[in-house]
Amino acid sequence: MSLKFNNEGDGGNDDLMSAALFVDTNDKDDDDGRPPQDGMEYLRQVIKERKRVPDTVTAEIDPEKVPVKSSKKEASGPGAVPINIQSSPSSLLSGRHKAAPPPGCCPGVVWQREQVKQFSEVRAKLARHVKLTKLNGEQEKHKIPDKKNEALWCHLMLGGEIWNLVNKSREDEDEEEIPKGKTDVVGEPPKLGFVTAMPVYVCEQVLEYVISWLEVTGWRAEYGPWVYTLLTRLEKPLTPDVGSSLRDLALFCAQQRLEFASKVEAVEAGGVPDDNIAALNLFICLVAKYFDQGDLVDREEE
């Protein structure tokens, strides 16, 4: 099959698309500096301006003029994750990179495929359960905290001790007074009824909270059930904010995996030396493979 384009006139690439509205541009001089007097005159001015603009524009960025910023939040706290930030401004333009899996800690392709399959099945079952609870009105039985109440969510999920660590790390950053954590409050693992009653937009906000807490406290086993649960409630396609949060989660897990691997003895190739590493591998796998962040996939050749 052959294609024939209309190459008449000086329209160039514009002739590859059929015109939706005919505009007569012949023998018209609309460049006298005055505002357009009617719709056709405005369109003629737009067409002439468009032809003066190049198809590709390149911005020249001077790396020396890019300010170097460091975050106290990333460098403070008892379990803060060390992030390798080079002092060169040009290095900041290249973005952050995921830490390669340490020897003996990279999950195999078959394992990753199986985790994605199981996660997909859990999401499908949970979605059916959410629809059922909506029909039966069971969601109204659970009182969901305000998504803006970060302190309450932290107490509910992880306890007052974690909130005190988060609070301490933010003393120099927040102008408003942050409520102190109640050390007698112990967090609870997620329950099905409560999770299904959480709106998706609340799950997205809480996930963002959890990632910020992780950066302060470091990985703890009690985070695992909540992170997995929140991931099951996210909807695809992802919004840009949620996609960014998931990438932050995967990068954090990769960095923490390096720290845990340095504290355990070497094992045979393909083995996982620590339960925490297995959890971190799982979340990196789900973010990369299920939520389509392919550049974060664990590969043994890294």
Side-chain angles (χ1 to χ4, degrees), residues 221-254:
E222 53 265 35
Y223 280 103
W226 277 106
V227 173
Y228 191 91
T229 299
L230 293 172
L231 293 182
T232 61
R233 293 302 319 279
L234 299 181
E235 292 184 346
K236 296 175 67 176
L238 303 174
T239 65
D241 288 340
V242 175
S244 177
S245 295
L246 290 177
R247 293 185 66 83
D248 287 342
L249 174 63
L251 294 174
F252 168 85
C253 290

Side-chain angles (χ1 to χ4, degrees), residues 2-14:
S2 61
L3 296 177
K4 183 178 181 181
F5 298 104
N6 179 18
N7 294 325
E8 297 180 358
D10 59 352
N13 292 336
D14 293 339

Side-chain angles (χ1 to χ4, degrees), residues 123 126-127 130 134 139 144 147 194-208 229-239 242:
R123 279 175 57 93
L126 186 59
V130 170
K134 286 182 178 180
Q139 290 186 337
I144 305 300
K147 73 170 187 176
F194 182 82
V195 171
T196 54
M198 291 175 62
V200 174
Y201 69 89
V202 174
C203 295
E204 295 174 351
Q205 179 62 67
V206 174
L207 177 63
E208 185 176 339
T229 299
L230 293 172
L231 293 182
T232 61
R233 293 302 319 279
L234 299 181
E235 292 184 346
K236 296 175 67 176
L238 303 174
T239 65
V242 175

